[in-house]
Amino acid sequence: MPGQVQSIARAAAILRLLASSSGRLGIGEIARSLDLPKGTAHGIVRTLQDVGFVEQDKTSGKYQLGAALLHLGTSYLDVNELRSRSINWADPLAARSGEAVRIGTLLDGKVLVVHHVFRPDDTLQTLDVGSLLPPHATALGKVLLAYDVGAANTVMQGEPEPYTRRTVVTARALSQALTKIRDNGWGAEIEEMTLGEAGIAAPIRGYGGLVVGAIGLSGPVDRVCDGQRQPRPTLVAYVRDAARAVSRDLGAARW
């Protein structure tokens, strides 16, 4: 196996040094602390600055951690907290509904599945944790788009892929669907991603009511929907109750 890449190891050391410092650091201070040539330290810091991981104070010329790196850390914590807070409610939802349950959040225009509970039967199933789902063709995704204007606009301005003949692909139809989700507080998809399958989802909120994820169930259309192909009210209630429970654990006020 190849050894570590020296420049990456040094960059990581510089980031750790800046993170542990009580204030900004100059190139000389960084070089002395890590026993690096000043030119080497300067080159690495400039590269970290170019990618947004380090920022330079215009007045002092010293450096601190950048917004891009802080955002990565916050995203990691958000995803892991969302997953940890959801676990206690996802399992009961799967047991009550008899269907598979997923928790997702938006990542780079896709729905990242952060937790997945199998349908409680003996059928063959595949773990979806870490999978990226299309937001316009899934209940989880449409719920997330309904509360994220920027992400919704990006999808509507693009060319959403039609996974089935029922997939919503026009900007007008998607806009109407998202408005309905905001009005109802939950969303659904019926054979938009996979023929014969349907899903129901509801938003998970954090502090201040910000939607940070969604929880939903999915299964065969004849079990998720009634004879009129409408989501069964009992299942909708189960999903909404689970979403509220997770939201409370994340610090959201009642809504």
Side-chain angles (χ1 to χ4, degrees), residues 109-148:
K110 301 287 186 179
V111 180
L112 172 66
V113 178
V114 301
H115 187 56
H116 177 200
V117 181
F118 284 162
R119 186 170 54 254
D121 59 25
D122 296 328
T123 58
L124 181 64
Q125 301 174 66
T126 302
L127 187 66
D128 286 344
V129 173
S131 298
L132 294 173
L133 307 177
H136 67 286
T138 57
L140 286 175
K142 288 194 289 185
V143 164
L144 292 168
L145 292 179
Y147 299 95
D148 190 322

PDB file of all heavy atoms in Angstrom, residues 109-148:
ATOM      1  N   GLY A 109     -27.920  18.831  -4.977  1.00  0.00           N
ATOM      2  CA  GLY A 109     -29.042  18.666  -5.884  1.00  0.00           C
ATOM      3  C   GLY A 109     -29.669  17.292  -5.909  1.00  0.00           C
ATOM      4  O   GLY A 109     -30.578  17.035  -6.696  1.00  0.00           O
ATOM      5  N   LYS A 110     -29.194  16.394  -5.059  1.00  0.00           N
ATOM      6  CA  LYS A 110     -29.758  15.049  -4.951  1.00  0.00           C
ATOM      7  C   LYS A 110     -30.245  14.808  -3.525  1.00  0.00           C
ATOM      8  O   LYS A 110     -29.954  15.579  -2.621  1.00  0.00           O
ATOM      9  CB  LYS A 110     -28.717  13.989  -5.324  1.00  0.00           C
ATOM     10  CG  LYS A 110     -28.158  14.106  -6.729  1.00  0.00           C
ATOM     11  CD  LYS A 110     -29.160  13.682  -7.780  1.00  0.00           C
ATOM     12  CE  LYS A 110     -28.533  13.656  -9.171  1.00  0.00           C
ATOM     13  NZ  LYS A 110     -29.495  13.224 -10.216  1.00  0.00           N
ATOM     14  N   VAL A 111     -30.981  13.714  -3.350  1.00  0.00           N
ATOM     15  CA  VAL A 111     -31.414  13.332  -2.010  1.00  0.00           C
ATOM     16  C   VAL A 111     -30.452  12.274  -1.483  1.00  0.00           C
ATOM     17  O   VAL A 111     -30.365  11.174  -2.027  1.00  0.00           O
ATOM     18  CB  VAL A 111     -32.843  12.763  -2.015  1.00  0.00           C
ATOM     19  CG1 VAL A 111     -33.260  12.374  -0.603  1.00  0.00           C
ATOM     20  CG2 VAL A 111     -33.818  13.776  -2.584  1.00  0.00           C
ATOM     21  N   LEU A 112     -29.714  12.621  -0.439  1.00  0.00           N
ATOM     22  CA  LEU A 112     -28.805  11.682   0.202  1.00  0.00           C
ATOM     23  C   LEU A 112     -29.579  10.892   1.253  1.00  0.00           C
ATOM     24  O   LEU A 112     -30.151  11.461   2.179  1.00  0.00           O
ATOM     25  CB  LEU A 112     -27.644  12.421   0.867  1.00  0.00           C
ATOM     26  CG  LEU A 112     -26.708  11.570   1.743  1.00  0.00           C
ATOM     27  CD1 LEU A 112     -25.959  10.554   0.896  1.00  0.00           C
ATOM     28  CD2 LEU A 112     -25.739  12.459   2.510  1.00  0.00           C
ATOM     29  N   VAL A 113     -29.609   9.573   1.111  1.00  0.00           N
ATOM     30  CA  VAL A 113     -30.275   8.716   2.093  1.00  0.00           C
ATOM     31  C   VAL A 113     -29.324   8.503   3.274  1.00  0.00           C
ATOM     32  O   VAL A 113     -28.265   7.896   3.121  1.00  0.00           O
ATOM     33  CB  VAL A 113     -30.668   7.352   1.485  1.00  0.00           C
ATOM     34  CG1 VAL A 113     -31.313   6.467   2.549  1.00  0.00           C
ATOM     35  CG2 VAL A 113     -31.618   7.554   0.307  1.00  0.00           C
ATOM     36  N   VAL A 114     -29.684   9.026   4.439  1.00  0.00           N
ATOM     37  CA  VAL A 114     -28.808   8.939   5.609  1.00  0.00           C
ATOM     38  C   VAL A 114     -29.206   7.806   6.548  1.00  0.00           C
ATOM     39  O   VAL A 114     -28.420   7.416   7.418  1.00  0.00           O
ATOM     40  CB  VAL A 114     -28.768  10.273   6.379  1.00  0.00           C
ATOM     41  CG1 VAL A 114     -28.263  11.393   5.481  1.00  0.00           C
ATOM     42  CG2 VAL A 114     -30.138  10.623   6.954  1.00  0.00           C
ATOM     43  N   HIS A 115     -30.431   7.282   6.378  1.00  0.00           N
ATOM     44  CA  HIS A 115     -30.853   6.139   7.186  1.00  0.00           C
ATOM     45  C   HIS A 115     -31.935   5.377   6.429  1.00  0.00           C
ATOM     46  O   HIS A 115     -32.749   5.972   5.732  1.00  0.00           O
ATOM     47  CB  HIS A 115     -31.385   6.601   8.545  1.00  0.00           C
ATOM     48  CG  HIS A 115     -31.671   5.472   9.488  1.00  0.00           C
ATOM     49  ND1 HIS A 115     -30.726   4.537   9.851  1.00  0.00           N
ATOM     50  CD2 HIS A 115     -32.810   5.114  10.142  1.00  0.00           C
ATOM     51  CE1 HIS A 115     -31.252   3.666  10.689  1.00  0.00           C
ATOM     52  NE2 HIS A 115     -32.518   3.984  10.883  1.00  0.00           N
ATOM     53  N   HIS A 116     -31.917   4.066   6.572  1.00  0.00           N
ATOM     54  CA  HIS A 116     -32.861   3.216   5.846  1.00  0.00           C
ATOM     55  C   HIS A 116     -33.241   2.036   6.731  1.00  0.00           C
ATOM     56  O   HIS A 116     -32.366   1.320   7.225  1.00  0.00           O
ATOM     57  CB  HIS A 116     -32.210   2.725   4.543  1.00  0.00           C
ATOM     58  CG  HIS A 116     -33.055   1.782   3.744  1.00  0.00           C
ATOM     59  ND1 HIS A 116     -32.531   0.931   2.786  1.00  0.00           N
ATOM     60  CD2 HIS A 116     -34.387   1.535   3.740  1.00  0.00           C
ATOM     61  CE1 HIS A 116     -33.489   0.221   2.248  1.00  0.00           C
ATOM     62  NE2 HIS A 116     -34.642   0.561   2.818  1.00  0.00           N
ATOM     63  N   VAL A 117     -34.525   1.863   6.947  1.00  0.00           N
ATOM     64  CA  VAL A 117     -35.023   0.719   7.701  1.00  0.00           C
ATOM     65  C   VAL A 117     -35.745  -0.197   6.726  1.00  0.00           C
ATOM     66  O   VAL A 117     -36.662   0.235   6.014  1.00  0.00           O
ATOM     67  CB  VAL A 117     -35.998   1.155   8.820  1.00  0.00           C
ATOM     68  CG1 VAL A 117     -36.484  -0.071   9.599  1.00  0.00           C
ATOM     69  CG2 VAL A 117     -35.323   2.150   9.750  1.00  0.00           C
ATOM     70  N   PHE A 118     -35.341  -1.457   6.686  1.00  0.00           N
ATOM     71  CA  PHE A 118     -35.970  -2.400   5.769  1.00  0.00           C
ATOM     72  C   PHE A 118     -37.446  -2.619   6.109  1.00  0.00           C
ATOM     73  O   PHE A 118     -37.866  -2.491   7.256  1.00  0.00           O
ATOM     74  CB  PHE A 118     -35.263  -3.761   5.835  1.00  0.00           C
ATOM     75  CG  PHE A 118     -33.942  -3.797   5.114  1.00  0.00           C
ATOM     76  CD1 PHE A 118     -33.026  -4.803   5.390  1.00  0.00           C
ATOM     77  CD2 PHE A 118     -33.604  -2.852   4.161  1.00  0.00           C
ATOM     78  CE1 PHE A 118     -31.812  -4.870   4.732  1.00  0.00           C
ATOM     79  CE2 PHE A 118     -32.395  -2.901   3.487  1.00  0.00           C
ATOM     80  CZ  PHE A 118     -31.496  -3.912   3.778  1.00  0.00           C
ATOM     81  N   ARG A 119     -38.193  -2.964   5.084  1.00  0.00           N
ATOM     82  CA  ARG A 119     -39.572  -3.399   5.274  1.00  0.00           C
ATOM     83  C   ARG A 119     -39.564  -4.637   6.176  1.00  0.00           C
ATOM     84  O   ARG A 119     -38.774  -5.557   5.961  1.00  0.00           O
ATOM     85  CB  ARG A 119     -40.183  -3.728   3.914  1.00  0.00           C
ATOM     86  CG  ARG A 119     -41.647  -4.070   3.926  1.00  0.00           C
ATOM     87  CD  ARG A 119     -42.199  -4.130   2.497  1.00  0.00           C
ATOM     88  NE  ARG A 119     -41.433  -5.037   1.656  1.00  0.00           N
ATOM     89  CZ  ARG A 119     -40.589  -4.651   0.705  1.00  0.00           C
ATOM     90  NH1 ARG A 119     -40.386  -3.373   0.472  1.00  0.00           N
ATOM     91  NH2 ARG A 119     -39.958  -5.539  -0.037  1.00  0.00           N
ATOM     92  N   PRO A 120     -40.401  -4.666   7.211  1.00  0.00           N
ATOM     93  CA  PRO A 120     -40.340  -5.772   8.183  1.00  0.00           C
ATOM     94  C   PRO A 120     -40.975  -7.067   7.690  1.00  0.00           C
ATOM     95  O   PRO A 120     -41.969  -7.544   8.226  1.00  0.00           O
ATOM     96  CB  PRO A 120     -41.101  -5.192   9.388  1.00  0.00           C
ATOM     97  CG  PRO A 120     -42.066  -4.222   8.791  1.00  0.00           C
ATOM     98  CD  PRO A 120     -41.351  -3.610   7.621  1.00  0.00           C
ATOM     99  N   ASP A 121     -40.409  -7.622   6.630  1.00  0.00           N
ATOM    100  CA  ASP A 121     -40.834  -8.938   6.147  1.00  0.00           C
ATOM    101  C   ASP A 121     -39.601  -9.690   5.655  1.00  0.00           C
ATOM    102  O   ASP A 121     -38.475  -9.242   5.872  1.00  0.00           O
ATOM    103  CB  ASP A 121     -41.904  -8.825   5.052  1.00  0.00           C
ATOM    104  CG  ASP A 121     -41.438  -8.028   3.845  1.00  0.00           C
ATOM    105  OD1 ASP A 121     -40.212  -7.959   3.613  1.00  0.00           O
ATOM    106  OD2 ASP A 121     -42.278  -7.465   3.122  1.00  0.00           O
ATOM    107  N   ASP A 122     -39.790 -10.798   5.023  1.00  0.00           N
ATOM    108  CA  ASP A 122     -38.654 -11.627   4.622  1.00  0.00           C
ATOM    109  C   ASP A 122     -38.211 -11.422   3.169  1.00  0.00           C
ATOM    110  O   ASP A 122     -37.411 -12.203   2.649  1.00  0.00           O
ATOM    111  CB  ASP A 122     -38.994 -13.112   4.827  1.00  0.00           C
ATOM    112  CG  ASP A 122     -39.225 -13.442   6.295  1.00  0.00           C
ATOM    113  OD1 ASP A 122     -38.575 -12.805   7.137  1.00  0.00           O
ATOM    114  OD2 ASP A 122     -40.064 -14.325   6.583  1.00  0.00           O
ATOM    115  N   THR A 123     -38.718 -10.388   2.510  1.00  0.00           N
ATOM    116  CA  THR A 123     -38.349 -10.168   1.116  1.00  0.00           C
ATOM    117  C   THR A 123     -36.920  -9.652   1.001  1.00  0.00           C
ATOM    118  O   THR A 123     -36.390  -9.014   1.920  1.00  0.00           O
ATOM    119  CB  THR A 123     -39.301  -9.147   0.458  1.00  0.00           C
ATOM    120  OG1 THR A 123     -39.255  -7.918   1.196  1.00  0.00           O
ATOM    121  CG2 THR A 123     -40.725  -9.675   0.450  1.00  0.00           C
ATOM    122  N   LEU A 124     -36.293  -9.920  -0.140  1.00  0.00           N
ATOM    123  CA  LEU A 124     -34.932  -9.469  -0.395  1.00  0.00           C
ATOM    124  C   LEU A 124     -34.925  -7.954  -0.578  1.00  0.00           C
ATOM    125  O   LEU A 124     -35.685  -7.417  -1.382  1.00  0.00           O
ATOM    126  CB  LEU A 124     -34.380 -10.153  -1.653  1.00  0.00           C
ATOM    127  CG  LEU A 124     -32.939  -9.786  -2.047  1.00  0.00           C
ATOM    128  CD1 LEU A 124     -31.962 -10.243  -0.961  1.00  0.00           C
ATOM    129  CD2 LEU A 124     -32.587 -10.421  -3.388  1.00  0.00           C
ATOM    130  N   GLN A 125     -34.069  -7.257   0.176  1.00  0.00           N
ATOM    131  CA  GLN A 125     -33.986  -5.804   0.095  1.00  0.00           C
ATOM    132  C   GLN A 125     -32.533  -5.370   0.087  1.00  0.00           C
ATOM    133  O   GLN A 125     -31.664  -6.083   0.588  1.00  0.00           O
ATOM    134  CB  GLN A 125     -34.735  -5.154   1.272  1.00  0.00           C
ATOM    135  CG  GLN A 125     -36.211  -5.532   1.340  1.00  0.00           C
ATOM    136  CD  GLN A 125     -36.895  -4.998   2.582  1.00  0.00           C
ATOM    137  OE1 GLN A 125     -37.053  -3.792   2.759  1.00  0.00           O
ATOM    138  NE2 GLN A 125     -37.315  -5.898   3.461  1.00  0.00           N
ATOM    139  N   THR A 126     -32.289  -4.188  -0.466  1.00  0.00           N
ATOM    140  CA  THR A 126     -30.933  -3.648  -0.567  1.00  0.00           C
ATOM    141  C   THR A 126     -30.818  -2.381   0.264  1.00  0.00           C
ATOM    142  O   THR A 126     -31.678  -1.500   0.172  1.00  0.00           O
ATOM    143  CB  THR A 126     -30.588  -3.324  -2.034  1.00  0.00           C
ATOM    144  OG1 THR A 126     -30.728  -4.506  -2.829  1.00  0.00           O
ATOM    145  CG2 THR A 126     -29.150  -2.817  -2.141  1.00  0.00           C
ATOM    146  N   LEU A 127     -29.775  -2.284   1.056  1.00  0.00           N
ATOM    147  CA  LEU A 127     -29.578  -1.111   1.902  1.00  0.00           C
ATOM    148  C   LEU A 127     -29.266   0.111   1.049  1.00  0.00           C
ATOM    149  O   LEU A 127     -28.371   0.076   0.211  1.00  0.00           O
ATOM    150  CB  LEU A 127     -28.442  -1.365   2.892  1.00  0.00           C
ATOM    151  CG  LEU A 127     -28.230  -0.286   3.963  1.00  0.00           C
ATOM    152  CD1 LEU A 127     -29.429  -0.234   4.899  1.00  0.00           C
ATOM    153  CD2 LEU A 127     -26.952  -0.576   4.758  1.00  0.00           C
ATOM    154  N   ASP A 128     -30.010   1.197   1.289  1.00  0.00           N
ATOM    155  CA  ASP A 128     -29.869   2.405   0.465  1.00  0.00           C
ATOM    156  C   ASP A 128     -29.074   3.521   1.133  1.00  0.00           C
ATOM    157  O   ASP A 128     -28.962   4.611   0.559  1.00  0.00           O
ATOM    158  CB  ASP A 128     -31.259   2.953   0.104  1.00  0.00           C
ATOM    159  CG  ASP A 128     -31.961   2.115  -0.939  1.00  0.00           C
ATOM    160  OD1 ASP A 128     -31.286   1.305  -1.603  1.00  0.00           O
ATOM    161  OD2 ASP A 128     -33.183   2.265  -1.099  1.00  0.00           O
ATOM    162  N   VAL A 129     -28.557   3.301   2.335  1.00  0.00           N
ATOM    163  CA  VAL A 129     -27.812   4.360   3.017  1.00  0.00           C
ATOM    164  C   VAL A 129     -26.636   4.807   2.144  1.00  0.00           C
ATOM    165  O   VAL A 129     -25.856   3.989   1.668  1.00  0.00           O
ATOM    166  CB  VAL A 129     -27.302   3.886   4.388  1.00  0.00           C
ATOM    167  CG1 VAL A 129     -26.388   4.941   5.012  1.00  0.00           C
ATOM    168  CG2 VAL A 129     -28.470   3.607   5.317  1.00  0.00           C
ATOM    169  N   GLY A 130     -26.543   6.114   1.933  1.00  0.00           N
ATOM    170  CA  GLY A 130     -25.492   6.661   1.080  1.00  0.00           C
ATOM    171  C   GLY A 130     -25.906   6.835  -0.365  1.00  0.00           C
ATOM    172  O   GLY A 130     -25.189   7.467  -1.141  1.00  0.00           O
ATOM    173  N   SER A 131     -27.064   6.294  -0.728  1.00  0.00           N
ATOM    174  CA  SER A 131     -27.548   6.438  -2.107  1.00  0.00           C
ATOM    175  C   SER A 131     -28.007   7.863  -2.372  1.00  0.00           C
ATOM    176  O   SER A 131     -28.438   8.580  -1.465  1.00  0.00           O
ATOM    177  CB  SER A 131     -28.716   5.475  -2.362  1.00  0.00           C
ATOM    178  OG  SER A 131     -28.316   4.141  -2.223  1.00  0.00           O
ATOM    179  N   LEU A 132     -27.919   8.275  -3.624  1.00  0.00           N
ATOM    180  CA  LEU A 132     -28.400   9.588  -4.050  1.00  0.00           C
ATOM    181  C   LEU A 132     -29.612   9.389  -4.951  1.00  0.00           C
ATOM    182  O   LEU A 132     -29.529   8.731  -5.980  1.00  0.00           O
ATOM    183  CB  LEU A 132     -27.298  10.342  -4.793  1.00  0.00           C
ATOM    184  CG  LEU A 132     -26.075  10.726  -3.952  1.00  0.00           C
ATOM    185  CD1 LEU A 132     -24.984  11.311  -4.831  1.00  0.00           C
ATOM    186  CD2 LEU A 132     -26.468  11.733  -2.872  1.00  0.00           C
ATOM    187  N   LEU A 133     -30.747   9.965  -4.553  1.00  0.00           N
ATOM    188  CA  LEU A 133     -31.994   9.797  -5.285  1.00  0.00           C
ATOM    189  C   LEU A 133     -32.369  11.089  -6.007  1.00  0.00           C
ATOM    190  O   LEU A 133     -32.031  12.178  -5.551  1.00  0.00           O
ATOM    191  CB  LEU A 133     -33.118   9.412  -4.320  1.00  0.00           C
ATOM    192  CG  LEU A 133     -32.871   8.209  -3.406  1.00  0.00           C
ATOM    193  CD1 LEU A 133     -34.052   8.018  -2.465  1.00  0.00           C
ATOM    194  CD2 LEU A 133     -32.619   6.959  -4.223  1.00  0.00           C
ATOM    195  N   PRO A 134     -33.078  10.990  -7.124  1.00  0.00           N
ATOM    196  CA  PRO A 134     -33.519  12.194  -7.839  1.00  0.00           C
ATOM    197  C   PRO A 134     -34.612  12.914  -7.039  1.00  0.00           C
ATOM    198  O   PRO A 134     -35.611  12.286  -6.655  1.00  0.00           O
ATOM    199  CB  PRO A 134     -34.060  11.641  -9.157  1.00  0.00           C
ATOM    200  CG  PRO A 134     -34.471  10.238  -8.829  1.00  0.00           C
ATOM    201  CD  PRO A 134     -33.484   9.746  -7.816  1.00  0.00           C
ATOM    202  N   PRO A 135     -34.463  14.190  -6.783  1.00  0.00           N
ATOM    203  CA  PRO A 135     -35.437  14.886  -5.933  1.00  0.00           C
ATOM    204  C   PRO A 135     -36.818  15.035  -6.553  1.00  0.00           C
ATOM    205  O   PRO A 135     -37.832  15.023  -5.839  1.00  0.00           O
ATOM    206  CB  PRO A 135     -34.784  16.248  -5.701  1.00  0.00           C
ATOM    207  CG  PRO A 135     -33.873  16.438  -6.859  1.00  0.00           C
ATOM    208  CD  PRO A 135     -33.361  15.068  -7.180  1.00  0.00           C
ATOM    209  N   HIS A 136     -36.888  15.154  -7.879  1.00  0.00           N
ATOM    210  CA  HIS A 136     -38.183  15.425  -8.513  1.00  0.00           C
ATOM    211  C   HIS A 136     -39.046  14.182  -8.644  1.00  0.00           C
ATOM    212  O   HIS A 136     -40.243  14.282  -8.909  1.00  0.00           O
ATOM    213  CB  HIS A 136     -37.967  16.027  -9.907  1.00  0.00           C
ATOM    214  CG  HIS A 136     -37.339  15.068 -10.880  1.00  0.00           C
ATOM    215  ND1 HIS A 136     -36.007  14.720 -10.823  1.00  0.00           N
ATOM    216  CD2 HIS A 136     -37.863  14.368 -11.929  1.00  0.00           C
ATOM    217  CE1 HIS A 136     -35.737  13.864 -11.790  1.00  0.00           C
ATOM    218  NE2 HIS A 136     -36.846  13.633 -12.474  1.00  0.00           N
ATOM    219  N   ALA A 137     -38.452  12.986  -8.455  1.00  0.00           N
ATOM    220  CA  ALA A 137     -39.183  11.744  -8.703  1.00  0.00           C
ATOM    221  C   ALA A 137     -39.427  10.933  -7.438  1.00  0.00           C
ATOM    222  O   ALA A 137     -39.895   9.799  -7.515  1.00  0.00           O
ATOM    223  CB  ALA A 137     -38.420  10.885  -9.713  1.00  0.00           C
ATOM    224  N   THR A 138     -39.120  11.499  -6.279  1.00  0.00           N
ATOM    225  CA  THR A 138     -39.295  10.788  -5.018  1.00  0.00           C
ATOM    226  C   THR A 138     -40.079  11.654  -4.041  1.00  0.00           C
ATOM    227  O   THR A 138     -39.995  12.890  -4.085  1.00  0.00           O
ATOM    228  CB  THR A 138     -37.942  10.434  -4.384  1.00  0.00           C
ATOM    229  OG1 THR A 138     -37.172  11.630  -4.204  1.00  0.00           O
ATOM    230  CG2 THR A 138     -37.166   9.474  -5.276  1.00  0.00           C
ATOM    231  N   ALA A 139     -40.807  11.002  -3.147  1.00  0.00           N
ATOM    232  CA  ALA A 139     -41.550  11.751  -2.138  1.00  0.00           C
ATOM    233  C   ALA A 139     -40.597  12.522  -1.225  1.00  0.00           C
ATOM    234  O   ALA A 139     -40.837  13.693  -0.907  1.00  0.00           O
ATOM    235  CB  ALA A 139     -42.420  10.800  -1.321  1.00  0.00           C
ATOM    236  N   LEU A 140     -39.509  11.871  -0.806  1.00  0.00           N
ATOM    237  CA  LEU A 140     -38.519  12.559   0.022  1.00  0.00           C
ATOM    238  C   LEU A 140     -38.003  13.813  -0.676  1.00  0.00           C
ATOM    239  O   LEU A 140     -37.916  14.901  -0.083  1.00  0.00           O
ATOM    240  CB  LEU A 140     -37.332  11.630   0.315  1.00  0.00           C
ATOM    241  CG  LEU A 140     -37.505  10.491   1.307  1.00  0.00           C
ATOM    242  CD1 LEU A 140     -36.241   9.640   1.324  1.00  0.00           C
ATOM    243  CD2 LEU A 140     -37.801  11.012   2.690  1.00  0.00           C
ATOM    244  N   GLY A 141     -37.640  13.654  -1.943  1.00  0.00           N
ATOM    245  CA  GLY A 141     -37.062  14.762  -2.689  1.00  0.00           C
ATOM    246  C   GLY A 141     -38.025  15.908  -2.900  1.00  0.00           C
ATOM    247  O   GLY A 141     -37.658  17.082  -2.749  1.00  0.00           O
ATOM    248  N   LYS A 142     -39.266  15.598  -3.241  1.00  0.00           N
ATOM    249  CA  LYS A 142     -40.231  16.668  -3.478  1.00  0.00           C
ATOM    250  C   LYS A 142     -40.532  17.450  -2.203  1.00  0.00           C
ATOM    251  O   LYS A 142     -40.715  18.671  -2.242  1.00  0.00           O
ATOM    252  CB  LYS A 142     -41.499  16.100  -4.106  1.00  0.00           C
ATOM    253  CG  LYS A 142     -41.292  15.676  -5.559  1.00  0.00           C
ATOM    254  CD  LYS A 142     -42.601  15.443  -6.290  1.00  0.00           C
ATOM    255  CE  LYS A 142     -43.297  14.198  -5.825  1.00  0.00           C
ATOM    256  NZ  LYS A 142     -44.516  13.920  -6.615  1.00  0.00           N
ATOM    257  N   VAL A 143     -40.562  16.742  -1.080  1.00  0.00           N
ATOM    258  CA  VAL A 143     -40.765  17.433   0.191  1.00  0.00           C
ATOM    259  C   VAL A 143     -39.595  18.384   0.466  1.00  0.00           C
ATOM    260  O   VAL A 143     -39.792  19.534   0.875  1.00  0.00           O
ATOM    261  CB  VAL A 143     -40.919  16.416   1.340  1.00  0.00           C
ATOM    262  CG1 VAL A 143     -40.746  17.097   2.693  1.00  0.00           C
ATOM    263  CG2 VAL A 143     -42.283  15.749   1.270  1.00  0.00           C
ATOM    264  N   LEU A 144     -38.375  17.931   0.230  1.00  0.00           N
ATOM    265  CA  LEU A 144     -37.209  18.782   0.453  1.00  0.00           C
ATOM    266  C   LEU A 144     -37.198  19.970  -0.504  1.00  0.00           C
ATOM    267  O   LEU A 144     -36.869  21.097  -0.108  1.00  0.00           O
ATOM    268  CB  LEU A 144     -35.934  17.955   0.299  1.00  0.00           C
ATOM    269  CG  LEU A 144     -35.719  16.897   1.381  1.00  0.00           C
ATOM    270  CD1 LEU A 144     -34.593  15.944   0.990  1.00  0.00           C
ATOM    271  CD2 LEU A 144     -35.417  17.544   2.714  1.00  0.00           C
ATOM    272  N   LEU A 145     -37.555  19.749  -1.758  1.00  0.00           N
ATOM    273  CA  LEU A 145     -37.605  20.847  -2.728  1.00  0.00           C
ATOM    274  C   LEU A 145     -38.667  21.874  -2.357  1.00  0.00           C
ATOM    275  O   LEU A 145     -38.496  23.077  -2.609  1.00  0.00           O
ATOM    276  CB  LEU A 145     -37.899  20.307  -4.131  1.00  0.00           C
ATOM    277  CG  LEU A 145     -36.822  19.466  -4.811  1.00  0.00           C
ATOM    278  CD1 LEU A 145     -37.308  19.005  -6.182  1.00  0.00           C
ATOM    279  CD2 LEU A 145     -35.522  20.249  -4.952  1.00  0.00           C
ATOM    280  N   ALA A 146     -39.758  21.421  -1.758  1.00  0.00           N
ATOM    281  CA  ALA A 146     -40.854  22.328  -1.406  1.00  0.00           C
ATOM    282  C   ALA A 146     -40.409  23.405  -0.430  1.00  0.00           C
ATOM    283  O   ALA A 146     -40.996  24.496  -0.392  1.00  0.00           O
ATOM    284  CB  ALA A 146     -42.014  21.538  -0.817  1.00  0.00           C
ATOM    285  N   TYR A 147     -39.365  23.109   0.341  1.00  0.00           N
ATOM    286  CA  TYR A 147     -38.912  24.057   1.356  1.00  0.00           C
ATOM    287  C   TYR A 147     -37.516  24.603   1.057  1.00  0.00           C
ATOM    288  O   TYR A 147     -36.878  25.190   1.931  1.00  0.00           O
ATOM    289  CB  TYR A 147     -38.944  23.396   2.730  1.00  0.00           C
ATOM    290  CG  TYR A 147     -40.332  22.958   3.128  1.00  0.00           C
ATOM    291  CD1 TYR A 147     -40.765  21.649   2.906  1.00  0.00           C
ATOM    292  CD2 TYR A 147     -41.234  23.858   3.698  1.00  0.00           C
ATOM    293  CE1 TYR A 147     -42.047  21.251   3.247  1.00  0.00           C
ATOM    294  CE2 TYR A 147     -42.517  23.466   4.038  1.00  0.00           C
ATOM    295  CZ  TYR A 147     -42.920  22.159   3.809  1.00  0.00           C
ATOM    296  OH  TYR A 147     -44.194  21.761   4.149  1.00  0.00           O
ATOM    297  N   ASP A 148     -37.041  24.415  -0.162  1.00  0.00           N
ATOM    298  CA  ASP A 148     -35.737  24.938  -0.573  1.00  0.00           C
ATOM    299  C   ASP A 148     -35.893  25.562  -1.956  1.00  0.00           C
ATOM    300  O   ASP A 148     -35.812  24.884  -2.979  1.00  0.00           O
ATOM    301  CB  ASP A 148     -34.693  23.818  -0.607  1.00  0.00           C
ATOM    302  CG  ASP A 148     -33.272  24.336  -0.800  1.00  0.00           C
ATOM    303  OD1 ASP A 148     -33.088  25.301  -1.577  1.00  0.00           O
ATOM    304  OD2 ASP A 148     -32.341  23.776  -0.190  1.00  0.00           O
TER     305      ASP A 148
END
